Structure formats: C-alpha cells, structure tokens
Amino acid sequence: MGLFDKSKKILEAEKVLRNQLLQQGASKKDIELITQNLKNDINNVPLPKIAIIGFTGVGKSTTLNALFNAGQPTSNIRACTQKEAPIIGDVSKYTGSKGSVIIYDMPGLGEDIYSDRQHFETYRKVLPIVDIAIWTFHTGDRSMTPMQEALQSLIQYLGNEFQEKLMFAINKADAISPGEFAWNTKLNTPSPEQRKNIAELELYIREKIQQIMPKWHGPIITYSAKTRFRLSQLMTAMIETLPKERRWVLNSMADVADPTLLMQKEYFDYVKSLQKTSK
C-alpha cells in the first residue's frame, strides 16, 4: 500500500472513529488515546500471507508468474520448487488500489516419498503463519485419493482451523475436455461443452473435499495460468477468503466503516461498552 493511500485510510478511519466516540460520550482524553492507538494498529498491520500448495506439476509457479510476474522458474519435467519461496506480489491491478501480499510458493507434493517427508515438514512450518492456503491442481487430475490423504495429514498436524483458511484452484481450464482445440481463442473463453465440464468438475471436487471436510464451504475457482482466464476471479476469491480484519490491506473500500476491527482488544472492549450504555 502506498504512503498516500495508507495516510488517507488512516485519516478516514480516525474521522469515523472520532464521530462514533463523540456520539457515545467518550472523554476527549479517551478519544485521543484510542485514535492514536488506531493509527499505530493500522501502521503495524502486517501484509497478508498466502501459500500456494498442492502436488507437483499442476502449475503453482506458473500461476504465481501469471498473477504477479513473480519470475519463478517453471518446468514441465522436473519439480522446480524444493523449498518455500516467499514473494511479495503487487495486487493493484486486481483491487484497484496499491497493495501487496506475501506469497509462499510451496514445494509440490507427490514427487517421491522421501521428498514428501521433507515437504510436509515445510508445510507444517509455514501453513500456521499464513492467512490463506490455496490448494492447486489441474483439470486433468481426477484422482482425488492422494489429495484427500494429504488433507487428512495436514488437518491431523495443524488442527481443524486449517480448514478455515483453505480454498481450491483448478488450473488449465483451457485443456479440459474436449481439449485446447475447443477453446475460444478470440474471446479467451471455454466452449459451451468445456463450460459444462468445468461446472461438473467443480461439483465433483467439492464432493470429494467434503468427504474429508464436511463443514468446508469455501471457493473453488477454475482458471488458466496459460491464457490468464479468470485470474481476476481467482484474486477476488483469495481476498474474500482472508479474515475480514485483514482484508482492508488489499481492498480500498474495506473496513473503514468499522475501524474498531483494527483496535487492540482493550480499546475495542471499551468502545463496545460505550455503545451498549448509549442505547
């Protein structure tokens, strides 16, 4: 987020909060203290963190390159990402405001049993500190057992709260049956038959995910890193999956109407108590 954008957001949030507190009868001393702490909270909010996870060869690094021009090496033969690689990505062209996010390009699972042991350790280290984990695979992958087993292992190690930060992304929309020759290259959209197959695939994958996580109802986005089809929808889903109090960093319209979401707990509780007594 640029300095001008951040300063403007702080001023807007401070104005809203001052008006709220004045209407509720807070003292001038309390107002000054709380608004100063709000400024500090906004200035110190860390960038959102997103992890791209899943099996090797599905296009995780290619997706990052398409979204953020990250320059990650990609290969059709060998797995390129052997350890977590944090990247700072610019989201301005998706959100309409200046903003950044930290993305971890995680090593792909499924290369071999020995690599998987190492990669699972990396997953257990990184995933607890991220806001979103995006499980990525491609349209040609209908074998769901390895994914289900991997998810079960991650939930076992990380707990059920891991489910709350999960979304799924299906790469290679342009290659879905009946194949790339059917893709409408002029409009960069799927053919009618491909659209039908994409919808069916998303339903199929949701069913398999919910066999492992019955309460999971997050987004599934089918896209194409190669043709850049639906990359904006993928970014939007990423932002909407963020916890609400973290989303403001990426979205120029978010959370200014309720700046208390950014407050330290002691001041948040105080403001809420004022709201109760003023009713």
Side-chain angles (χ1 to χ4, degrees), residues 8-226:
K8 183 179 178 182
K9 187 170 287 293
I10 292 173
L11 288 172
E12 290 173 349
E14 182 183 357
K15 182 178 179 181
V16 171
L17 183 59
R18 281 182 178 273
N19 288 337
Q20 287 179 354
L21 293 172
L22 281 170
Q23 291 170 5
Q24 293 155 15
S27 69
K28 289 184 178 180
K29 182 179 179 180
D30 283 338
I31 290 173
E32 292 303 322
L33 181 60
I34 292 172
T35 53
Q36 182 57 52
N37 278 280
L38 174 65
K39 288 181 183 180
N40 295 337
D41 289 346
I42 292 176
N43 276 320
N44 294 325
V45 170
L47 295 178
K49 296 181 179 70
I50 297 173
I52 310 293
I53 64 177
F55 288 101
T56 187
V58 300
K60 297 191 304 299
S61 296
T62 305
T63 298
L64 273 180
N65 290 339
L67 281 170
F68 302 110
N69 298 314
Q72 287 292 89
T74 59
S75 170
N76 292 325
I77 300 174
R78 296 186 64 85
C80 295
T81 307
Q82 293 301 317
K83 61 181 181 178
E84 75 277 16
I87 301 159
I88 295 182
D90 179 17
V91 301
S92 58
K93 73 176 181 178
Y94 300 103
T95 65
S97 62
K98 293 180 181 177
S100 298
V101 61
I102 297 175
I103 313 104
Y104 288 87
D105 185 11
M106 300 291 283
L109 302 173
E111 184 181 355
D112 58 62
I113 191 171
Y114 302 104
S115 297
D116 275 2
R117 290 173 185 169
Q118 179 182 347
H119 296 339
F120 263 109
E121 288 302 317
T122 301
Y123 277 41
R124 289 197 287 269
K125 178 180 71 175
V126 174
L127 293 184
I129 68 170
V130 302
D131 298 292
I132 307 171
I134 305 175
W135 189 282
T136 310
F137 42 96
H138 61 72
T139 54
D141 190 357
R142 302 298 174 101
S143 177
M144 296 290 105
T145 301
M147 179 192 70
Q148 291 176 322
E149 291 175 343
L151 288 174
Q152 283 181 324
S153 296
L154 289 171
I155 292 168
Q156 179 183 351
Y157 283 106
L158 302 175
N160 285 326
E161 62 272 15
F162 169 63
Q163 300 181 40
E164 298 174 6
K165 57 177 74 174
L166 261 178
M167 63 171 285
F168 293 80
I170 311 171
N171 192 14
K172 303 184 182 179
D174 54 307
I176 198 165
S177 178
E180 291 186 50
F181 71 89
W183 189 259
N184 187 329
T185 54
K186 289 184 178 180
L187 299 177
N188 193 31
T189 57
S191 68
E193 186 175 357
Q194 286 179 312
R195 285 188 183 279
K196 178 183 176 182
N197 290 335
I198 286 172
E200 290 179 356
L201 177 60
E202 290 179 353
L203 286 173
Y204 171 77
I205 288 171
R206 186 173 294 277
E207 175 188 325
K208 300 305 178 185
I209 293 168
Q210 290 180 337
Q211 287 179 352
I212 304 302
M213 303 182 299
K215 296 182 179 180
W216 183 85
H217 297 284
I220 298 175
I221 303 295
T222 304
Y223 69 101
S224 170
K226 177 181 176 181

